[in-house]
Amino acid sequence: MSRIKQFKSQTRDLIHRGFDRHIKLAVTGLSGAGKTALITGVLEQLLYANESQNLPYFNVRQHQRLIGCRLHTSPNWDTPRFDYEKAIERLTGTPGQWPESTRDVSEIRLELKYHPERGLAGKVLDERRLTVDIIDYPGEWLLDLPLLSLTYEQWSKKQRTLFSTEPRKELAEAWLHQLNDLTAVATDDNAEKQIKVVAKAYRQYLADCKEQGLKLLQPGRLVLPGELAGTPSLDFFPWPLEQPVPDAWQSLLERKFEYYKEQVVKPFYQNYFRHFNRQLILVDVLSALEGGESYFDELKLALNEIMQSFNYGQNSLLRRLFSPQIDKVSFVVTKADSVVPSDHAKLTGLINALTLEGRQQLQFERIPFDLFSVAGVATSQWKQLKNGTNVLEGIDQSGELVRVGAPHVPGRLPTREDWQQGYVYPHFQPNFTLADSPLPHIRLDKLLNSVIGDKLR
Ligand SMILES: Nc1nc2c(ncn2[C@@H]2O[C@H](COP(=O)(O)OP(=O)(O)OP(=O)(O)O)[C@@H](O)[C@H]2O)c(=O)[nH]1
Ligand SMILES: [Mg+2]
């Protein structure tokens, strides 16, 4: 290669590197919020963007500047890869199925090539690259943040207030029974063994709470252990009684609690959370409405707890640990295909109302945020009949094609009377073939434009 050519090529490489960008886009939400389906939908839309006619608000595609997008090997070998292929296999199988529930963190890397909009790069270069790492992690893990500022005793006291109200009170009976039996015969020699037994009963109690739709469950890893399943690090519980912890148990319970804070909670924030740039918080508002008033309130409480992880003013706990990098948060109501399009704005209104208090209280406004209602994978067809009635068509759980009238979505936080009448939504099943790729979605183009669009200019 001639010297001039070599020089040009090196300069070009340098400029390329200078303009290459990288985003870590984290997706979280409580169990069943729709993380796996949404990430699958996002990957579908990006990988098939240039074949899609359904991304009008994704500017880079709409302005025909997107050259292409492909999956890339992730350099992070400690974290399992997000199983996109398996999710597609299920969604397009016969019969179609939703992806399996996931229990741990996973990650996938994408590379987008595009033409820049204008400016220096537009003149010198014809293409740039954006690398996007999408990380799927359980929202339950964020519920552990408040533990970091509490001692075992303080944490136990907080939990005690929770145990004293229904439905937790009744659900905790078996666990408390076991605890009472064993404390009566606690000795230094059997402490570890007995704590293990009571901890197992406590984990069962948390699992029962989860089954009942309760959200505010601590510690998060006792509910969703990920790689810690079966390890002694999860053998502890909050002290639920007014009488003091037996001497034989006290030191071990305190040490386990400290270990959990230091070796489980902190490393999650230090190894993962610290590196995130953009955060999606997915919320299944429709299931909470279906669950009724107490579950809806519980969702609100849990969301407010989760938001504490984004409150990193100068004196916050997180700021003292490291400097968080998240510069934008999107609250996303999922499963919007279960209601008619004219009600989508009501879903966004509800998530606004649900998170308002937490946002104000935490000076959350310091980080820009936005609100969306989307379907990662849209399974219904909206139709307006001749008489003007709105209906949804889709495949129900028995595999039949059904037509349902527009389900009622409240236009504001429901009142006592609203709760009495209750809410019910269809649960459509996927019904696709591979030829349907990119799978239909609702508003993922707007979401994508908001979370990565600014890096694709
Ligand atoms: N109609 C509709 N249902 C959805 C959509 N996304 C998720 N669901 C439903 O919600 C369930 C949970 O979705 P997932 O994507 O597995 O949720 P998740 O947050 O990954 O759940 P975990 O892995 O268990 O934490 C699915 O099995 C579907 O029944 C959607 O876009 N539309
Ligand atoms: Mg999942």
Side-chain angles (χ1 to χ4, degrees):
M1 199 188 295
S2 79
R3 286 192 118 180
I4 292 181
K5 257 194 176 164
Q6 199 176 1
F7 175 74
K8 270 191 179 161
S9 145
Q10 278 171 357
T11 317
R12 205 180 162 87
D13 267 6
L14 267 179
I15 294 174
H16 258 304
R17 253 181 275 146
F19 284 112
D20 283 352
R21 288 142 187 244
H22 192 170
I23 290 189
K24 280 194 173 281
L25 171 62
V27 179
T28 197
L30 297 166
S31 291
K35 302 178 289 290
T36 306
L38 181 118
I39 295 175
T40 307
V42 160
L43 292 171
E44 276 283 287
Q45 305 317 317
L46 290 175
L47 292 170
Y48 293 93
N50 280 336
E51 281 107 89
S52 172
Q53 300 308 318
N54 195 14
L55 296 171
Y57 292 101
F58 189 35
N59 290 341
V60 70
R61 158 72 184 90
Q62 203 50 20
H63 301 158
Q64 294 172 353
R65 294 190 291 106
L66 187 66
I67 301 165
C69 175
R70 60 176 183 149
L71 293 176
H72 213 278
T73 325
S74 166
N76 189 358
W77 290 350
D78 291 341
T79 309
R81 179 179 177 278
F82 177 87
D83 204 345
Y84 165 66
E85 293 77 9
K86 183 76 188 292
I88 291 294
E89 198 180 301
R90 285 177 68 94
L91 288 164
T92 58
T94 321
Q97 286 174 297
W98 287 103
E100 272 173 342
S101 173
T102 46
R103 288 278 160 261
D104 208 343
V105 62
S106 68
E107 186 170 338
I108 194 159
R109 173 168 282 196
L110 281 162
E111 192 181 82
L112 288 94
K113 266 194 192 171
Y114 64 100
H115 296 295
E117 225 166 25
R118 60 181 111 79
L120 175 68
K123 291 194 185 94
V124 183
L125 288 175
D126 52 349
E127 65 184 48
R128 286 191 203 172
R129 255 182 313 222
L130 174 69
T131 305
V132 183
D133 289 321
I134 304 183
I135 304 107
D136 172 351
Y137 73 97
E140 280 78 359
W141 293 0
L142 296 180
L143 294 175
D144 280 347
L145 179 76
L147 302 192
L148 290 179
S149 58
L150 300 174
T151 62
Y152 178 70
E153 202 186 326
Q154 289 166 331
W155 177 57
S156 298
K157 203 169 161 200
K158 274 188 106 177
Q159 293 293 307
R160 232 171 277 152
T161 352
L162 281 180
F163 299 139
S164 61
T165 51
E166 294 298 358
R168 284 183 168 82
K169 198 170 168 189
E170 196 185 330
L171 291 168
E173 267 171 21
W175 165 56
L176 290 179
H177 195 71
Q178 181 119 51
L179 180 124
N180 276 317
D181 279 359
L182 291 182
T183 39
V185 291
T187 65
D188 286 342
D189 293 343
N190 62 20
E192 191 158 0
K193 223 164 140 189
Q194 293 196 327
I195 285 178
K196 194 177 161 137
V197 174
V198 180
K200 193 172 168 205
Y202 179 67
R203 291 197 298 270
Q204 185 56 49
Y205 152 76
L206 290 176
D208 293 343
C209 288
K210 182 166 179 265
E211 180 74 29
Q212 292 281 312
L214 295 170
K215 309 283 182 204
L216 200 57
L217 304 174
Q218 274 176 350
R221 297 297 182 109
L222 270 62
V223 189
L224 288 174
E227 80 286 4
L228 297 175
T231 64
S233 62
L234 304 185
D235 289 340
F236 70 104
F237 44 83
W239 185 248
L241 310 175
E242 290 301 335
Q243 73 210 55
V245 189
D247 288 346
W249 288 12
Q250 183 158 12
S251 146
L252 189 56
L253 283 173
E254 283 173 2
R255 276 186 288 134
K256 289 257 170 159
F257 181 69
E258 290 306 318
Y259 182 92
Y260 184 84
K261 279 162 53 180
E262 289 302 316
Q263 305 298 327
V264 180
V265 184
K266 268 192 195 167
F268 165 71
Y269 282 94
Q270 279 164 338
N271 301 339
Y272 289 101
F273 193 87
R274 177 155 78 108
H275 303 290
F276 299 160
N277 309 115
R278 302 275 156 100
Q279 176 69 58
L280 304 187
I281 302 178
L282 309 194
V283 188
D284 182 359
V285 171
L286 296 175
S287 296
L289 284 170
E290 278 187 321
E293 186 172 13
S294 56
Y295 298 104
F296 197 79
D297 290 347
E298 178 93 8
L299 174 68
K300 186 173 171 190
L301 277 179
L303 277 173
N304 285 337
E305 287 282 306
I306 283 177
M307 276 190 275
Q308 292 199 26
S309 292
F310 306 96
N311 170 31
Y312 34 77
Q314 282 314 318
N315 293 317
S316 78
L317 195 61
L318 283 182
R319 182 70 87 197
R320 274 179 272 139
L321 276 178
F322 52 79
S323 354
Q325 297 187 31
I326 294 170
D327 61 4
K328 193 178 217 178
V329 173
S330 303
F331 293 96
V332 183
V333 182
T334 51
K335 314 179 191 181
D337 56 328
S338 310
V339 303
V340 297
S342 51
D343 284 337
H344 290 171
K346 288 188 191 164
L347 294 180
T348 326
L350 286 171
I351 189 69
N352 187 33
L354 274 172
T355 55
L356 190 65
E357 203 181 291
R359 290 193 329 247
Q360 285 172 341
Q361 184 192 339
L362 303 172
Q363 296 172 321
F364 193 76
E365 317 286 339
R366 277 167 32 85
I367 307 177
F369 71 93
D370 41 22
L371 309 162
F372 293 92
S373 57
V374 310
V377 179
T379 49
S380 72
Q381 299 247 349
W382 163 65
K383 287 187 178 153
Q384 199 163 38
L385 305 181
K386 279 201 184 107
N387 62 7
T389 318
N390 280 310
V391 295
L392 292 173
E393 281 182 1
I395 302 292
D396 73 1
Q397 277 151 324
S398 59
E400 300 292 319
L401 178 68
V402 290
R403 175 182 282 185
V404 298
H408 177 55
V409 183
R412 57 188 152 83
L413 290 180
T415 58
R416 267 275 134 78
E417 294 81 66
D418 295 333
W419 284 121
Q420 265 151 22
Q421 129 239 301
Y423 299 96
V424 185
Y425 298 99
H427 290 255
F428 295 122
Q429 298 301 302
N431 181 36
F432 305 107
T433 67
L434 274 176
D436 294 321
S437 276
L439 299 179
H441 69 93
I442 295 174
R443 232 170 269 114
L444 288 185
D445 51 339
K446 278 201 167 167
L447 181 65
L448 279 170
N449 209 53
S450 165
V451 291
I452 61 171
D454 59 324
K455 304 283 182 190
L456 290 164
R457 289 207 182 118

